[in-house]
Amino acid sequence: MRTADRETTGNRSVLAGVRRRARWWCVLLGCVAALAPSQAFAQPDRPSLPDRPSLPDRIAGRSGWTRTATVGQHPAGRAVALFRYCSDDSSQTTVVGADRDSYRRLGVSGFDEWPDGGLIAPDGTGVLLLDADAGDQVPPAEDGHRVRLIDLTTGTVRRIPLTDWHTNVGTTPRLLAWSEDGRYVAYAVPASTDGTAAGAYEDGLPVLDLAVLDLRTGVSARYSAIRPVRAAAFAPDGRLAVQVRRQAWVVTVHGAVQGRVTLPAGQDLAGPAAWSPDGLLLATTAPAGLSTLVGFDSRVEFVDVPGAHRPVPAPVAADRLLGWRSPDHVLTNSDERVDDVDLSDRGIRTVSQLPEHGDQACQLQLATALVRQAAIRAAADPDRGTFPVWRLLAAAAAVVVVGLGGLSGYALWRRSHRLTCFHRSTCAHRSA
């Protein structure tokens, strides 16, 4: 066989090998894509999201080796719940979607947020988060403390200054409640003192003043006459119920006191979800921490607001109140479950199961306006917004294909180079 024919035959053999390898890897990639479809990849082809929000019947545990994306990295839309895994030492706060089983973290690290410092909007479109430095004793001289307003639909963050305060005992601000129209946020800040540690505490608890933040203007008003504040809740009409010692004061967002009601013995105002949708009842629960004591009979109780004329329901056995489905139905939390309790016939139905053992979800909040219209959906596999496994496999396969292609090309070049050199040396020898 002539040298040219041998060279052509060798090149064809090398090219045929490259084609066989390419076809094999294409088949492999197709199989991987078919067998392991990605939720994130499929999102653009999904049908339009439902108008009615929903609560999953099961909250997923912590992710294993697959990390959960942040809201900023991959926004997932409005959320129905805000919670933190109790065993998470970094205090990482997470939201779960109101339209699908999407889970997103609020920060890259738990060190950039203050534990217990999160508050979800009633409509589930945003979260307020205290920055970690909000726990410092003295606000920075430059711009004071700020709160982060995280838009869950876009991932954008707006930082809003809080009112200044000074304390020498290290007490921190507390986010209390968010108005249903989304405009106002009630929070509490350490009260001014006479410079002594004793002046900053009452009955072992820090003395806190009421402050109201107007999110539209970014301006806070502080009401030092309303203290010591323990908890607060907004009524549907925009009024505030603020716990001051053993009473709930009904006040306006401008600090005008309209009435007072005494709370049941051993009970505190039940947080941001305390006010019933019809504005006639306030819910109370045991002070934080007491419900975890062995043998303690934890319960949710009710009182009517000043001027209301409605029969007061009997207490409900539960640890916490999470929200109202209607004026006669409440959502409560006990152990690792969320129950729907009928205040009329006392019927109890478990609507959502929380993670157990090392994955418990603590500091659970629900978007109070959403849960009044929410359906209960069967939980699907969590969409955590991270790079899906099949894409990692496909990327690795692509690297291998490129590598094989490069090696095959190099082998082809070397073979051609050797044949060329052999042909030249043979021609030179014949010429000589």
Side-chain angles (χ1 to χ4, degrees):
M1 184 181 292
R2 291 181 304 172
T3 302
D5 293 336
R6 288 197 300 269
E7 180 178 357
T8 302
T9 301
N11 291 346
R12 288 175 178 172
S13 177
V14 172
L15 291 174
V18 172
R19 292 192 188 99
R20 285 195 300 271
R21 295 186 184 95
R23 284 196 297 269
W24 189 86
W25 281 107
C26 288
V27 171
L28 176 62
L29 290 175
C31 292
V32 171
L35 294 176
S38 162
Q39 290 182 342
F41 183 78
Q43 282 178 8
D45 298 328
R46 287 180 175 181
S48 58
L49 296 177
D51 293 331
R52 186 181 182 186
S54 54
L55 176 70
D57 62 5
R58 174 178 49 83
I59 301 294
R62 289 184 300 173
S63 58
W65 62 273
T66 303
R67 291 182 58 80
T68 300
T70 65
V71 172
Q73 292 168 343
H74 193 172
R78 60 182 180 176
V80 72
L82 168 74
F83 64 93
R84 183 170 65 89
Y85 294 113
C86 297
S87 58
D88 189 352
D89 295 333
S90 64
S91 302
Q92 196 61 252
T93 308
T94 306
V95 290
V96 59
D99 302 298
R100 58 176 178 264
D101 288 296
S102 57
Y103 290 76
R104 297 293 185 272
R105 295 180 295 130
L106 292 184
V108 176
S109 167
F111 296 106
D112 61 359
E113 64 186 51
W114 190 256
D116 305 330
L119 193 64
I120 189 170
D123 66 358
T125 60
V127 167
L128 281 168
L129 202 64
L130 284 175
D131 285 334
D133 64 0
D136 296 343
Q137 294 185 12
V138 180
E142 297 179 359
D143 56 7
H145 293 313
R146 292 178 179 268
V147 65
R148 279 181 287 166
L149 175 57
I150 303 174
D151 189 325
L152 300 182
T153 63
T154 64
T156 57
V157 178
R158 173 188 171 198
R159 280 182 162 81
I160 305 171
L162 301 179
T163 185
D164 291 338
W165 67 88
H166 297 277
T167 177
N168 63 343
V169 292
T171 52
T172 62
R174 292 177 56 195
L175 298 175
L176 300 177
W178 201 327
S179 66
E180 194 162 316
D181 62 4
R183 177 171 179 176
Y184 296 102
V185 174
Y187 65 101
V189 293
S192 302
T193 70
D194 56 5
T196 65
Y201 281 82
E202 181 178 298
D203 298 329
L205 298 173
V207 176
L208 303 175
D209 289 346
L210 175 67
V212 177
L213 167 64
D214 186 339
L215 290 175
R216 184 179 299 175
T217 64
V219 176
S220 290
R222 178 177 182 148
Y223 304 108
S224 299
I226 304 176
R227 70 161 66 158
V229 173
R230 300 283 185 264
F234 276 97
D237 62 7
R239 292 176 297 165
L240 260 173
V242 182
Q243 181 179 346
V244 178
R245 298 186 178 89
R246 304 310 316 154
Q247 291 183 326
W249 292 12
V250 179
V251 303
T252 68
V253 293
H254 303 295
V257 179
Q258 296 182 332
R260 296 176 174 85
V261 59
T262 301
L263 300 176
Q267 294 273 293
D268 283 346
L269 194 66
W275 215 313
S276 65
D278 58 10
L280 302 180
L281 293 176
L282 288 172
T284 65
T285 59
L290 286 184
S291 61
T292 61
L293 297 178
V294 176
F296 183 83
D297 182 20
S298 57
R299 62 190 182 276
V300 176
E301 297 190 30
F302 305 92
V303 294
D304 54 355
V305 300
H309 302 285
R310 176 184 170 178
V312 177
V316 172
D319 293 338
R320 289 181 295 171
L321 177 79
L322 297 176
W324 297 72
R325 298 276 280 168
S326 71
D328 295 312
H329 282 257
V330 292
L331 291 175
T332 62
N333 174 215
S334 297
D335 299 324
E336 285 84 34
R337 68 182 191 274
V338 177
D339 293 331
D340 183 329
V341 182
D342 189 328
L343 299 180
S344 300
D345 63 16
R346 319 306 294 176
I348 300 176
R349 178 172 65 103
T350 297
V351 296
S352 187
Q353 196 69 38
L354 304 180
E356 299 178 354
H357 307 301
D359 288 342
Q360 291 102 325
C362 60
Q363 300 162 9
L364 175 65
Q365 296 179 32
L366 299 181
T368 53
L370 287 188
V371 295
R372 292 206 296 271
Q373 52 179 310
I376 305 301
R377 69 175 184 261
D381 291 335
D383 163 21
R384 299 190 183 276
T386 50
F387 212 61
V389 175
W390 86 268
R391 286 189 176 183
L392 294 175
L393 294 175
V399 171
V400 173
V401 170
V402 172
L404 287 175
L407 290 175
S408 299
Y410 178 70
L412 179 63
W413 175 82
R414 287 291 303 272
R415 183 179 180 84
S416 300
H417 181 69
R418 286 198 303 269
L419 290 174
T420 301
C421 291
F422 175 79
H423 178 71
R424 287 178 178 175
S425 64
T426 302
C427 291
H429 178 72
R430 289 178 178 175
S431 299

